[in-house]
């Protein structure tokens, strides 16, 4: 199967959000304090349309993780790789963990976000590095 | 509001059907269901059809009219797509159509072809059910997503891989006598534990297989069943659907499935049945951890107690609440867009007494089916009861 066209329509804020992870990143906060990731026009928690960008906390804690041994075709990452959901307080973010093996990660491990380019898909790849 | 009876059920054997088209598979199930019902195809007023990845696997979209044609129906059809809950939603909407008085005879079910793709391609196709921006691009596969949930569950409630291995062994044991099951063979807990890792902590035998197959049900109004003197003792008395945030990262608790809990609450309320009145259940065990979380969402076990259910024998065929007597998705197979219909077909057979495992629950009068989409961003629950 072929990958989606890299010249496909814009991601309405996703690419900008991912690029910003290199400088620490941001999240969307609504008037009632609910955190979410872009793109958003409305808060899914309360319906507020009063949304602002807030800086992502510098360091997050691994909330859960898995060492993936079977990767999709067309995805650049060679298995095994470790995918993790990381808790940054107002939001959680999913990505691939760098510089730590699965044996070196546990729930609570501190990491910081970063972004790489996935050559196979020509898309941004969210990654985490040891804090 | 009229009652809804399951007049007939039809299944293809689940497994690998190399060289057969999806339309051929669905036609087999549909014709079997019509034959089982004793209902003429010309009486079917609408086809509700579930399919998830046909556009990827067969390069075939717009499948509903194609499937109506293949089944010899001269009526319109609608495709329902809710990932692995596609057929569950198709059945639910058929139930609603009959109840409303709009239709007296509906054909509902689904079909999926998967084995013609490579494992990597299936992995990629199933991942489409996850959040493309925030999960798929970040390397989350379908097994990977359930692995994230499994680890979150272990962290919150305890339990481990051995508990999950008991779920796999139980469901394989149930599939041995089921002629429609993909794997009609037992496995041991040790074999499950020793199988290769797919996405830690989940191993190969924690996962359902890649499967081709189709399911079909003939649903009729009570009035139609009576007028045509149909032998249709099983009624669908409750239906419910729940939804949740698509991405795991956006859920409050990654070890719970509130969409299933909401669907169950609605279905129980609709049927006027309490969870402790359910005699037997078919739940969506695409991965062993999914069965555990389903048992808790369906209010059969308290949070943290579902993990030990198979190991304790609570959910084995001789337990208080046999779960997945068909073999479940784990051993019966999981043609994703057909699964929700197949669960209701199996439950109907169990309650009618003509399932090979009906003898495990000879007095059962209330059955429940639970069909989940993606990482349970959607869920459909049905309550079936013996009406006469």
């Amino acid at each position: 199967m072929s990958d989606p066209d890299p010249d496909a329509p814009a991601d309405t804020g996703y690419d900008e959000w991912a690029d910003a992870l290199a400088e620490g990143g941001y999240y969307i906060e609504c008037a009632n304090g609910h955190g979410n990731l872009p793109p958003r026009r409305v808060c899914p928690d309360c319906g507020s349309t009063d949304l602002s960008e807030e800086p992502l906390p510098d360091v997050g804690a691994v909330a859960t993780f898995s060492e993936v041994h079977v990767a999709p075709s067309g995805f650049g990452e060679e298995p095994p790789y470790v995918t993790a959901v990381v808790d940054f307080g107002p939001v959680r973010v999913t990505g691939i963990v760098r510089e730590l093996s699965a044996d070196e990660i546990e729930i609570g491990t501190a990491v910081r976000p970063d972004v790489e380019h996935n050559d196979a898909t020509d898309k941004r790849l969210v990654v985490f590095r040891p804090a | 509001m009229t009652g809804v009876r399951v007049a007939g059920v039809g299944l293809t054997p689940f497994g690998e059907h190399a060289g057969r088209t999806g339309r051929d598979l669905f036609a087999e199930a549909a014709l079997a269901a019509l034959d089982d019902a004793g209902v003429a195809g010309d009486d079917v007023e609408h086809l509700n059809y579930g399919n998830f990845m046909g556009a990827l696997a067969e390069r075939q979209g717009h499948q509903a009219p194609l499937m109506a044609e293949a089944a010899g129906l001269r009526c319109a059809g609608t495709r329902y797509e809710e990932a692995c809950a596609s057929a569950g939603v198709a059945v639910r909407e058929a139930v609603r159509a009959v109840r409303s008085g709009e239709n007296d005879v509906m054909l509902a079910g689904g079909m999926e072809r998967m084995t013609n793709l490579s494992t990597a391609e299936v992995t990629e196709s199933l991942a489409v059910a996850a959040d493309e921006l925030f999960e798929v691009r970040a390397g989350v596969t379908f097994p990977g997503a359930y692995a994230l949930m499994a680890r979150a569950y272990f962290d919150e409630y305890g339990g481990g891989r051995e508990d999950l291995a008991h779920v796999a062994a139980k469901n394989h044991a149930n599939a041995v006598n089921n002629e429609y099951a993909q794997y009609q063979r037992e496995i041991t807990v040790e074999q499950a534990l020793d199988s290769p890792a797919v996405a830690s902590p989940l191993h190969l035998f924690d996962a359902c297989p890649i499967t081709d197959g189709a399911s079909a049900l003939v649903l009729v109004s009570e009035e139609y069943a009576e007028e045509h003197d149909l032998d249709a003792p099983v009624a669908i008395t409750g239906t419910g659907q729940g939804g949740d945030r698509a991405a795991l990262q956006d859920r409050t608790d990654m070890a719970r499935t509130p969409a299933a809990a909401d669907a169950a609450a609605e279905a129980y309320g609709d049927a006027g049945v309490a969870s402790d009145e359910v005699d037997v259940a078919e739940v969506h065990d695409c991965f062993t951890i999914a069965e555990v979380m389903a048992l808790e969402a369906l209010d059969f076990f308290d949070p943290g107690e579902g993990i030990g259910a198979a190991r304790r024998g609570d959910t084995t065929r001789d337990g208080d609440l046999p779960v997945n007597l068909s073999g479940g998705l784990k051993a019966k197979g999981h043609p994703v867009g057909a699964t929700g219909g197949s669960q209701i077909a199996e439950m109907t057979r169990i309650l009618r007494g003509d399932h090979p495992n009906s003898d495990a629950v000879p007095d059962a009068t209330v059955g429940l089916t639970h069909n989940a989409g993606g990482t349970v961003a959607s869920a459909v629950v049905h309550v079936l009861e013996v009406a006469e």
Side-chain angles (χ1 to χ4, degrees):
Chain A
M1 292 187 295
S2 59
D3 288 324
D5 181 2
D7 297 324
D11 291 320
T12 323
Y14 172 83
D15 285 352
E16 293 79 359
W17 171 81
D19 288 342
L21 290 174
E23 306 299 327
Y26 58 84
Y27 69 97
I28 305 293
E29 187 176 84
C30 78
N32 294 312
H34 298 125
N36 279 288
L37 299 179
R40 298 280 172 201
R41 287 175 182 271
V42 55
C43 174
D45 294 305
C46 67
S48 169
T49 54
D50 183 6
L51 309 176
S52 62
E53 288 185 5
E54 302 295 332
L56 201 64
D58 294 337
V59 175
V62 170
T64 186
F65 67 100
S66 172
E67 185 176 48
V68 177
H69 293 264
V70 181
S73 63
F75 185 73
E77 214 62 25
E78 285 292 320
Y81 59 86
V82 175
T83 186
V85 178
V86 175
D87 194 342
F88 288 92
V91 290
R92 295 200 195 102
V93 182
T94 308
I96 290 177
V97 181
R98 298 292 189 219
E99 302 165 42
L100 293 172
S101 72
D103 294 341
E104 296 171 313
I105 300 166
E106 54 188 38
I107 290 176
T109 296
V111 294
R112 62 180 174 82
D114 199 0
V115 62
E116 295 179 359
H117 182 258
N118 185 339
D119 293 334
T121 59
D122 197 28
K123 297 181 191 301
R124 278 81 171 167
L125 179 63
V126 175
V127 300
F128 302 110
R129 303 185 193 284
Chain B
M1 188 176 77
T2 181
V4 181
R5 296 295 178 89
V6 185
V9 305
L11 296 166
T12 68
F14 279 11
E16 187 173 337
H17 292 288
R20 290 183 64 184
T21 57
R23 64 187 85 182
D24 184 51
L25 290 170
F26 186 72
E28 180 183 339
L31 292 173
L34 290 165
D35 182 59
D36 186 40
V39 168
D42 280 347
D43 275 11
V44 176
E45 294 160 298
H46 200 89
L47 168 65
N48 279 17
Y49 171 79
N51 177 266
F52 172 48
M53 48 187 268
L56 299 170
E58 285 198 290
R59 299 271 177 209
Q60 182 65 64
H62 203 183
Q63 288 195 11
L66 188 72
M67 295 301 164
E69 175 190 332
L73 305 178
R74 280 158 292 278
C75 64
T78 307
R79 172 186 158 195
Y80 290 87
E81 190 275 298
E82 207 69 31
C84 312
S86 295
V89 180
V91 173
R92 171 174 159 78
E93 292 307 319
V95 168
R96 284 149 62 99
V98 172
R99 281 181 169 182
S100 75
E102 182 86 15
N103 296 118
D104 278 309
V105 184
M106 300 283 292
L107 193 76
M111 186 285 300
E112 208 71 64
R113 273 189 76 198
M114 305 173 72
T115 71
N116 54 319
L117 301 178
S118 69
T119 298
E121 287 171 337
V122 171
T123 301
E124 182 180 355
S125 301
L126 291 173
V128 171
D131 184 321
E132 148 64 15
L133 290 180
F134 287 98
E135 293 185 312
V136 179
R137 291 187 189 191
V140 174
T141 62
F142 201 46
Y146 273 91
L148 294 171
M149 298 169 85
R151 197 181 302 277
Y153 185 99
F154 293 164
D155 181 61
E156 190 161 341
Y157 299 113
R161 287 195 55 226
E162 193 165 349
D163 297 294
L164 297 181
H166 280 267
V167 177
K170 167 183 75 73
N171 292 348
H172 270 267
N174 287 340
V176 169
N177 297 321
N178 187 355
E179 70 272 31
Y180 295 110
Q182 186 165 4
Y183 295 133
Q184 296 167 40
R185 62 169 188 264
E186 296 201 43
I187 62 165
T188 65
V189 168
E190 290 69 30
Q191 281 176 300
L193 287 170
D194 292 345
S195 64
V198 174
S200 68
L202 300 181
H203 286 231
L204 187 61
F205 282 17
D206 289 302
C208 64
I210 294 166
T211 311
D212 305 322
S215 63
L217 311 167
V218 178
L219 302 181
V220 302
S221 64
E222 282 181 345
E223 292 76 11
Y224 181 93
E226 195 171 324
E227 283 168 19
H228 292 77
D229 198 24
L230 299 183
D231 179 23
V234 174
I236 297 181
T237 58
T239 179
Q241 184 174 352
D244 202 352
R245 301 286 291 272
L248 280 177
Q249 66 188 19
D250 294 328
R251 311 253 178 97
T252 306
D253 184 345
M254 291 183 285
R256 313 285 309 151
T257 55
D262 291 347
E266 185 181 358
Y268 286 137
D270 191 26
V273 162
S275 59
D276 62 6
E277 295 176 82
V278 173
D279 298 308
V280 56
E282 289 283 314
V283 309
H284 194 99
D285 60 323
C286 50
F287 297 92
T288 48
I289 187 66
E291 175 165 321
V292 172
M293 292 189 293
L295 295 176
E296 298 177 4
L298 297 168
D299 193 36
F300 296 138
F301 294 90
D302 290 335
E305 295 297 317
I307 185 76
R311 192 175 186 165
R312 291 191 301 267
D314 297 344
T315 51
T316 52
R317 62 169 286 144
D318 52 355
D320 287 343
L321 178 71
V323 171
N324 287 332
L325 284 174
S326 70
L329 284 52
K330 171 70 192 91
K332 189 188 177 225
H334 182 27
V336 288
T339 288
S342 78
Q343 292 174 313
I344 295 172
E346 296 280 13
M347 183 56 71
T348 299
R349 295 202 301 151
I350 290 168
L351 294 177
R352 290 195 310 208
D354 60 339
H355 192 281
N357 286 329
S358 285
D359 59 346
V361 285
D363 301 322
T365 58
V366 181
L368 178 142
T369 65
H370 155 271
N371 183 204
T375 50
V376 205
S378 54
V380 185
V381 171
H382 284 102
V383 175
L384 283 72
E385 294 185 74
V386 178
E388 58 186 41

